[in-house]
Amino acid sequence: MENGQRKDQPQWYVMRAYKNESMAEELLSNEKYGLEHFIPKEKVLRTVNGKKVVCWVPVIHSLVFVHASQRQIVDFKHHYYYNLQFVTWKTEDRLVYLTVPEKEMKNFIEVCKQTEQEVHFYKIDEINKGKDKIDIAKGKRVRVHGGPFDQVEGYFMKVGRKRGRQLVVIIPDLLAVSAEVASDYLQVID
């Protein structure tokens, strides 16, 4: 993640919509005053009124990525939805807004949006604690050519509890997503 101190430059900011990402999504999607955004979601099976229903739910509650300048987001917050908060990181002498580089966010969104493939999400702080251990040092940096993940870059590696090797795209310090990709489509770029 990089420092997001350039106030007029559009960047992907990591934000929180505390306990109400659906309201944030609705307001951010408004054609008149909304901003480009992305909320990573996964399919889950829920019981609603005694019936099993497949729903799309946020992977991490309250997490929202917003692509805009810092000034645009502050203006949006003041006029439309104040509960949207910047995620920050404290350095030695100042507070830094967490941002995700354009290329990494594009790759992450491409993998997340695939509904044909089985996609798995991992919270970075939980990866190395459990059975889903992902060791990036053992993975090869690859670019996909063809198929549903064409031009996506990530790591090709074995992920715990998965049969084949997976394409893993990581947003550092926050979240990872993986999906199975045929090795015929891969080009090693390291």
Side-chain angles (χ1 to χ4, degrees), residues 13 27-28 42-43 62 67-69 80 82 92 98 101 105 110 129 133 140 158 162 176-177 182:
Y13 285 90
L27 293 170
L28 286 164
E42 63 185 340
K43 264 195 256 187
S62 305
H67 187 249
S69 70
Y80 306 110
Y82 193 74
E92 298 157 7
L98 293 185
M105 194 66 199
E110 286 300 313
K129 293 179 187 174
K133 190 171 177 102
K140 298 252 188 230
K158 176 76 176 133
K162 303 288 176 255
V177 62

Side-chain angles (χ1 to χ4, degrees), residues 74-87:
V74 169
D75 185 54
F76 177 83
K77 286 171 45 80
H78 285 290
H79 291 95
Y80 306 110
Y81 191 65
Y82 193 74
N83 289 336
L84 193 63
Q85 302 297 319
F86 288 98
V87 174

